[in-house]
Amino acid sequence: MADSEQVTRHEREIGELRGKLDALATKEFVRSVVHEQTSELNMKFDTITAKFDAIDDRLKEISERQQRFKGIGQAITFGLPFLVSALALVAVLLK
């Protein structure tokens, strides 16, 4: 009986060790897969970030152009009545 109990105990210990080795192998496999997927996602995010940066640069450029046109429009809006008045005054003086 002692021999069969000892064999059973060894078999149980071997089973436990196999379970631990399987778990360790699974952890390493999962870690490697997670690392690969994280690297792929980081590359995709970098690409997306670059695209957003390009869009942001273009929006800033459009905003700057809009401000320039707004300035030109304000100059025309305030300058045109003055110009018309000046031309009318010159026309009256030249008669």
Side-chain angles (χ1 to χ4, degrees):
M1 279 279 191
D3 287 339
S4 68
E5 287 178 12
Q6 189 174 5
V7 169
T8 305
R9 193 178 100 234
H10 286 304
E11 287 175 352
R12 188 174 50 246
E13 288 176 358
I14 290 171
E16 288 175 4
L17 289 174
R18 283 184 180 163
K20 289 179 181 179
L21 286 173
D22 287 344
L24 181 61
T26 302
K27 285 180 184 177
E28 288 302 316
F29 174 74
V30 169
R31 285 181 182 155
S32 68
V33 169
V34 167
H35 179 72
E36 290 173 11
Q37 290 176 347
T38 303
S39 297
E40 289 176 15
L41 286 174
N42 284 338
M43 288 174 29
K44 289 179 182 179
F45 284 137
D46 289 344
T47 303
I48 291 171
T49 301
K51 289 179 181 179
F52 278 126
D53 289 344
I55 291 171
D56 187 46
D57 290 343
R58 289 188 180 176
L59 287 174
K60 285 179 184 176
E61 181 182 328
I62 289 170
S63 177
E64 290 170 0
R65 286 183 182 178
Q66 181 183 15
Q67 290 299 321
R68 279 186 272 158
F69 287 132
K70 186 176 179 182
I72 291 170
Q74 287 176 345
I76 290 172
T77 301
F78 293 111
L80 191 59
F82 176 76
L83 181 62
V84 169
S85 298
L87 288 175
L89 184 62
V90 169
V92 168
L93 291 177
L94 289 177
K95 273 190 173 189

